[in-house]
Amino acid sequence: MTRFFLLILFLCGLSILSAQTTINPCAANQPMHVVVLGSSTAAGTGPSSPDSTWVNRYRKYLQQINPSNLVTNLALGGRTTYHILPDGFVPPAGRPLPITTNNISEAIRLGADAVIVNMPSNDAANNFSREEQMNNFRTISAHADSAGVPTWICTTQPRNFSAAQRAVQLEVKDSVLAYFGSRSIDFWTGFADSTLGLGLPFDSGDGVHMNDTAHAILMNRTVEVAIPNALTDTLSYEDYLISTFETDDIPLCGDAAIHFSLNFHNQGIMDLAGRQLNIHIQEQVGLYDSTLTVSLSPLSACKADSFSFEWLIQGGEALTFVAYFDSAEADLSNDTSTILSISLLEGPALVPSSDSVCVGGMAVLEAQSNDPSHHIFWYTDSSKAQLLGEGGVLILDSVLENEEVYVQSIQGNLYFDRSLSTTTQSNISFNGMMFDLIAHDSLVIDSLAFKAFDVGAQWVSGFYRRGSYQGYEQDPSSWLAWGQDLVDVAQSDDFTTIAFSSISLQEGDTLGVYLHLNNANRRLRYNSSSQFVSYQDSQLEIRSGAGIAHTFGAIFSPRLWNGEVFYHHGSRPEGDCQSPIYPAEAIINIPMIDLGPDTTVLLGSQFFPANSSQIVQYFWSNGDTTPFLTLDSARYRPGLYAFWVEGYDRNGCSAVDSILLDIQIPTSSELTNFEATSIYPNPAQDRIFFKGNHSPLTWISIYDLQGKKVISKPLAGNSFFIGHLNKGMYIVKVNGETASHQFPLMKD
């Protein structure tokens, strides 16, 4: 089994999400806990969904570095810097007391490794001065520092205030950046308009809180200060760690060179000796076992490295790959990668066949794939520029010359399989649901999945109409039955697939859909809504609809269906994988008969054409059907005669030739000897005999039907051994003292 690999070794920095921020590799293996203190912005007011808030975005970012990273959000709307001061702090008269469940003391009690403070504008709204705010920020930071917890202070944010309040906001922003320096986060720059208010592109609508776009920028600003790097410690010993071992996209079938990449780093002190990296490759059935070994250069503390290689996996193989270091480290638990199991289907294999045809005939070309589900396509050339046909047989009519075509087998669907889902959130269990499907491209609806509430076996009925369901919710006559399907729900809130007949939609079509359970007491799931909602991709749109009581009953609208639509669209001519492109040929077969030049023969003799073994049937002009022409003296007189013969090969192709023979009467000696001599047995196996009243025979020559002399030697006596000849038709010529004789011979 042939194998190959390509090694690429290089140093790199590990960058996650932000192209501008390089994260220390050691941070990926050291879990951290970040606590956020703040008011409504940090609490999530403004964005359209919780996923869009800067705190939740930042949590997702940190967990991509290490899934164990934790972000705790203690922010509460309406709070000021006084509310997050340490426990026991006594504020000036008229100022609020700390909230001990949401302040810096609580953050330390929760085991924070770092604290982010986001107080955008409530202090200014309460007319707290720049000095008050800065004093509070310094107190919070100092209290955290005394506990060994670093703090990052966010600046104020633009808000549609009075002129005096806007001025305070700007002063606090400048003071935070100046005082806290690298421990500050700029939440001001780029968001303010010319009046120092909140710019319209970032306003969620109230002039106070920022929208989705702004929160994405706030998250990036937080990423840029690289808090994980500040919290990362270097171990006091060498410790190599394999962080990722992965591949690029893997094809489903056929031979493929798979690209592997492995990331690792030294999270301890500088390594002086280097390491040996091993990649163990094993076929899952145990037929192949190999280890690829690479020597790595030493890594400095908290430095990352990468190793890449390619490995040819043949169709039908199933291999496992695992990487590990040869080392004597104190901690060996992180020296081995996850196991990658890769299987490739064998892929399509094709056996084409050519066909021999007569000029102007019909060629039948065939190709057989190793799986009847594969698609077979025929093309005019190897570039597949023009499709000739599909299937295992291609018929070419009226073939006038040799014609070569090309054939290929394709595995997999010839279209794109897609699905579109709606919301998974549900708060209503009811029997029926209507919704609309709008096609943005030509497509075919294959099946649906719905969220079931009741468990067990149950029948589902589907109805559809061309056009929206709206206005026809209680009109059964406007709907067509789509089908029924029996499903078995294992657990409540499981998504269950139902398959009716396929429905084709053209771009712009709307299809109304109604699903209900046949048993009126069974229920499916959906979500209540205050407005209609659409879920869409580039091909399909699902518009939320209405809950409908059993069999076109009461209407509850709008409602969000819990479900998924499976469909296919477009052209995917290469499928999942392909066989090689093979040639197949329609070959023109032109048999030949050559009777030779016109000649003189003796009456009563036999004439033998010099033709090839292609001919299997003969039709002479005198009615003979043997490979030779007999000049019967009872039928012919001396003179010139024209004879022709038509022959057919095994494919039914014909050939014709003619000859002019001058038939003469033999002399008395020739006639006597000729008529008196014969050969037997005929057909013969081992030996032939000559009989008759003839002069002594002195020489024998034997020819095949192509005129090639196969034997020529003296003849002693009246017999000759032919056992060594191949089976077939031959011409035997014998010479005597006064005459020569010629006979056809069939060798068995």
Side-chain angles (χ1 to χ4, degrees):
M1 187 178 297
T2 302
R3 305 278 178 179
F4 74 85
F5 58 87
L6 173 64
L7 301 182
I8 308 170
L9 188 62
F10 56 93
L11 288 171
C12 71
L14 178 62
S15 179
I16 303 176
L17 283 185
S18 175
Q20 297 78 25
T21 305
T22 299
I23 295 302
N24 187 328
C26 290
N29 200 45
Q30 298 182 23
M32 60 190 66
H33 183 191
V34 176
V35 175
V36 177
L37 303 178
S39 56
S40 56
T41 293
T45 303
S48 61
S49 71
D51 289 342
S52 297
T53 66
W54 79 261
V55 174
N56 288 337
R57 288 172 184 260
Y58 189 64
R59 177 183 290 109
K60 182 178 180 181
Y61 161 77
L62 288 182
Q63 291 177 346
Q64 286 182 334
I65 298 174
N66 186 326
S68 298
N69 286 342
L70 179 65
V71 174
T72 299
N73 192 354
L74 298 181
L76 293 172
R79 299 308 181 256
T80 68
T81 56
Y82 282 103
H83 290 106
I84 61 174
L85 287 167
D87 293 353
F89 180 85
V90 179
R95 299 302 189 238
L97 290 167
I99 301 176
T100 57
T101 57
N102 297 80
N103 63 351
I104 187 61
S105 298
E106 178 66 8
I108 294 170
R109 282 191 291 269
L110 291 174
D113 296 305
V115 173
I116 301 175
V117 177
N118 177 206
M119 287 293 182
S121 60
N122 287 338
D123 282 66
N126 285 277
N127 296 313
F128 299 163
S129 67
R130 180 193 68 82
E131 290 76 14
E132 286 182 86
Q133 295 183 52
M134 287 303 298
N135 284 337
N136 291 344
F137 284 139
R138 284 190 287 266
T139 300
I140 293 166
S141 179
H143 186 77
D145 286 344
S146 66
V149 179
T151 303
W152 278 261
I153 307 297
C154 301
T155 68
T156 51
Q157 298 163 204
R159 176 171 172 171
N160 295 345
F161 271 150
S162 67
Q165 289 169 318
R166 297 184 196 204
V168 170
Q169 288 286 91
L170 184 60
E171 291 174 357
V172 174
K173 180 267 294 185
D174 291 339
S175 297
V176 167
L177 293 176
Y179 184 85
F180 292 100
S182 62
R183 292 291 178 87
S184 64
I185 306 176
D186 185 356
F187 277 14
W188 178 282
T189 303
F191 296 119
D193 61 17
S194 59
T195 67
L196 302 182
L198 181 57
L200 286 177
F202 310 107
D203 190 348
S204 66
D206 60 6
V208 177
H209 298 99
M210 293 183 169
N211 59 18
D212 293 15
T213 301
H215 272 253
I217 298 172
L218 298 181
M219 193 280 293
N220 284 331
R221 298 273 175 88
T222 309
V223 168
E224 288 168 2
V225 300
I227 293 174
N229 289 353
L231 302 181
T232 299
D233 294 322
T234 301
L235 299 177
S236 60
Y237 52 86
E238 299 171 12
D239 185 25
Y240 274 55
L241 176 145
I242 295 177
S243 53
T244 61
F245 185 37
E246 56 194 8
T247 68
D248 292 344
D249 292 339
I250 300 174
L252 292 177
C253 49
D255 298 348
I258 307 299
H259 182 266
F260 293 80
S261 59
L262 184 145
N263 293 311
F264 56 92
H265 62 270
N266 177 15
Q267 60 183 3
I269 61 175
M270 181 174 181
D271 171 30
L272 299 178
R275 287 289 185 275
Q276 181 171 291
L277 177 65
N278 304 281
I279 313 292
H280 183 226
I281 305 112
Q282 184 175 19
E283 196 165 14
Q284 292 179 14
V285 295
L287 299 179
Y288 181 82
D289 193 304
S290 179
T291 300
L292 169 65
T293 301
V294 179
S295 295
L296 303 175
S297 300
L299 279 181
S300 300
C302 288
K303 292 298 182 182
D305 206 346
S306 292
F307 171 71
S308 298
F309 68 98
E310 286 186 349
W311 194 268
L312 177 63
I313 302 180
Q314 298 175 340
E317 282 190 330
L319 301 179
T320 59
F321 296 77
V322 62
Y324 62 93
F325 288 113
D326 280 344
S327 63
E329 295 178 352
D331 182 5
L332 300 178
S333 62
N334 54 21
D335 287 5
T336 301
S337 74
T338 55
I339 297 175
L340 298 180
S341 298
I342 300 176
S343 300
L344 298 182
L345 299 177
E346 185 176 357
L350 194 64
V351 180
S353 63
S354 297
D355 191 19
S356 295
V357 297
C358 310
V359 175
M362 181 180 70
V364 180
L365 306 181
E366 298 184 21
Q368 184 174 0
S369 188
N370 58 335
D371 188 318
S373 68
H374 295 168
H375 310 274
I376 298 176
F377 295 101
W378 301 82
Y379 303 95
T380 55
D381 54 48
S382 59
S383 69
K384 304 195 296 186
Q386 181 180 347
L387 179 67
L388 288 176
E390 181 178 356
V393 176
L394 178 69
I395 296 177
L396 300 177
D397 292 320
S398 303
V399 181
L400 300 177
E401 58 184 10
N402 290 350
E403 187 171 344
E404 188 173 62
V405 298
Y406 291 81
V407 60
Q408 185 179 44
S409 181
I410 304 294
Q411 181 174 339
N413 291 332
L414 302 178
Y415 46 75
F416 294 98
D417 284 303
R418 295 285 187 268
S419 72
L420 178 62
S421 300
T422 65
T423 178
T424 60
Q425 296 179 348
S426 53
N427 55 18
I428 297 178
S429 303
F430 202 58
N431 186 271
M433 181 73 199
M434 286 185 184
F435 54 91
D436 284 339
L437 301 179
I438 297 92
H440 297 311
D441 196 354
S442 298
L443 55 88
V444 176
I445 305 298
D446 297 313
S447 60
L448 308 171
F450 73 100
K451 191 177 183 182
F453 179 77
D454 295 292
V455 300
Q458 47 202 297
W459 284 94
V460 183
S461 288
F463 300 84
Y464 72 92
R465 68 178 310 277
R466 298 286 179 171
S468 176
Y469 77 88
Q470 295 187 38
Y472 301 90
E473 293 91 336
Q474 297 175 310
D475 182 8
S477 64
S478 297
W479 294 81
L480 297 174
W482 193 352
Q484 297 188 58
D485 196 9
L486 179 63
V487 299
D488 192 358
V489 180
Q491 185 172 327
S492 182
D493 280 354
D494 276 357
F495 279 87
T496 304
T497 301
I498 46 177
F500 305 134
S501 59
S502 298
I503 295 182
S504 297
L505 300 178
Q506 300 301 312
E507 182 179 357
D509 285 354
T510 296
L511 185 75
V513 178
Y514 176 35
L515 301 176
H516 74 74
L517 302 172
N518 290 15
N519 186 331
N521 295 320
R522 295 296 182 100
R523 292 158 293 177
L524 50 75
R525 297 279 277 161
Y526 55 77
N527 206 48
S528 61
S529 176
S530 60
Q531 58 185 353
F532 286 93
V533 178
S534 290
Y535 306 88
Q536 59 184 309
D537 56 25
S538 56
Q539 281 78 40
L540 181 65
E541 179 180 351
I542 305 174
R543 289 184 183 168
S544 60
I548 304 294
H550 188 251
T551 59
F552 300 94
I555 304 170
F556 303 89
S557 180
R559 296 291 185 266
L560 308 182
W561 176 56
N562 296 145
E564 186 171 5
V565 178
F566 300 91
Y567 68 94
H568 69 266
H569 74 98
S571 175
R572 187 169 168 258
E574 297 300 313
D576 294 327
C577 55
Q578 315 83 37
S579 74
I581 300 175
Y582 294 99
E585 192 171 10
I587 303 171
I588 294 296
N589 185 40
I590 306 177
M592 298 294 294
I593 294 181
D594 184 8
L595 298 181
D598 298 342
T599 187
T600 299
V601 295
L602 298 177
L603 185 63
S605 68
Q606 293 177 317
F607 172 74
F608 305 96
N611 56 16
S612 71
S613 58
Q614 294 174 295
I615 303 301
V616 295
Q617 287 184 299
Y618 297 85
F619 298 94
W620 290 87
S621 55
N622 69 342
D624 284 354
T625 57
T626 64
F628 47 85
L629 174 68
T630 301
L631 302 178
D632 187 353
S633 58
R635 296 176 58 188
Y636 300 98
R637 296 181 179 181
L640 292 174
Y641 292 86
F643 295 92
W644 57 265
V645 64
E646 183 174 15
Y648 292 88
D649 67 7
R650 291 177 177 81
N651 297 308
C653 302
S654 64
V656 177
D657 197 19
S658 63
I659 192 171
L660 185 64
L661 299 181
D662 181 6
I663 301 177
Q664 297 184 1
I665 300 174
T667 64
S668 58
S669 173
E670 291 172 333
L671 183 59
T672 299
N673 288 329
F674 188 86
E675 292 177 345
T677 304
S678 63
I679 185 174
Y680 73 94
N682 194 0
Q685 292 183 342
D686 297 320
R687 184 173 289 276
I688 56 175
F689 298 88
F690 303 96
K691 67 179 180 178
N693 182 20
H694 52 68
S695 60
L697 302 176
T698 59
W699 195 271
I700 183 170
S701 298
I702 299 180
Y703 302 83
D704 62 18
L705 290 185
Q706 284 73 43
K708 179 182 179 182
K709 186 183 293 185
V710 295
I711 292 176
S712 181
K713 59 174 57 181
L715 179 63
N718 289 329
S719 69
F720 187 75
F721 179 75
I722 61 168
H724 58 287
L725 291 178
N726 295 326
K727 293 181 179 181
M729 180 68 72
Y730 295 90
I731 307 299
V732 178
K733 290 185 179 181
V734 290
N735 295 324
E737 293 179 353
T738 60
S740 63
H741 312 278
Q742 182 172 287
F743 313 96
L745 171 66
M746 176 62 70
K747 169 66 168 61
D748 278 349

